[in-house]
Amino acid sequence: MKNLKNNKIFRIVTRVIKGTLITMLVLFILMVCLQRFSNNRLSVFNLRLFTVISGSMEPKYKIGDVLVAKEVDPSEVKVGDAVSYLGTERDLNGKIVTHEVTEIEIDSSGKYYFHTKGICTD
């Protein structure tokens, strides 16, 4: 084991791995802070982080899970996909909601309407 620790290649590989992990951790923390301070309105490389705060998507997502959401064109969304969106009704107004797409409608002007629901099996 002592010979391995003194091996130059092993030390370089170890430093690269540690550096990569530290960089990823710092970027994750910065992304979480950016999302918190922007009220989830900004994205980084078309990605956003959300924390699950209700059980409506259990068992797929549990309360406290961190979700990474990618911004996509509406035409790419399929029935069964999980989508995150800004709620507009009742107690969800102004809150980020993540639900599963159950139906997709496209009106005559090409605008997409997604019907969604939680998947809680309780």
Side-chain angles (χ1 to χ4, degrees), residues 69-117:
K70 179 182 176 187
E71 293 178 29
V72 298
D73 188 86
S75 64
E76 295 180 42
V77 178
K78 301 178 290 304
V79 170
D81 286 350
V83 294
S84 297
Y85 59 93
L86 187 61
T88 58
E89 296 182 12
R90 298 182 298 268
D91 57 338
L92 299 178
N93 190 26
K95 296 181 181 171
I96 302 296
V97 179
T98 300
H99 277 164
E100 189 174 275
V101 175
T102 58
E103 184 181 344
I104 302 171
E105 292 182 29
I106 306 171
D107 69 12
S108 59
S109 66
K111 185 173 180 179
Y112 284 77
Y113 294 91
F114 300 100
H115 299 265
T116 66
K117 70 172 187 154

Side-chain angles (χ1 to χ4, degrees), residues 20-105:
T20 302
L21 291 175
I22 290 170
T23 302
M24 289 173 58
L25 180 62
V26 168
L27 289 174
F28 177 77
I29 291 170
L30 287 174
M31 195 166 170
V32 168
C33 290
L34 176 67
Q35 292 292 287
R36 293 285 182 224
F37 294 124
S38 72
N39 201 21
N40 289 324
R41 301 290 193 265
L42 297 176
S43 64
V44 177
F45 304 114
N46 287 333
L47 299 174
R48 294 182 188 198
L49 296 177
F50 301 108
T51 304
V52 177
I53 60 171
S54 80
S56 69
M57 290 294 286
E58 287 185 346
K60 192 172 191 175
Y61 307 118
K62 296 182 178 12
I63 295 173
D65 283 356
V66 176
L67 305 178
V68 178
K70 179 182 176 187
E71 293 178 29
V72 298
D73 188 86
S75 64
E76 295 180 42
V77 178
K78 301 178 290 304
V79 170
D81 286 350
V83 294
S84 297
Y85 59 93
L86 187 61
T88 58
E89 296 182 12
R90 298 182 298 268
D91 57 338
L92 299 178
N93 190 26
K95 296 181 181 171
I96 302 296
V97 179
T98 300
H99 277 164
E100 189 174 275
V101 175
T102 58
E103 184 181 344
I104 302 171
E105 292 182 29

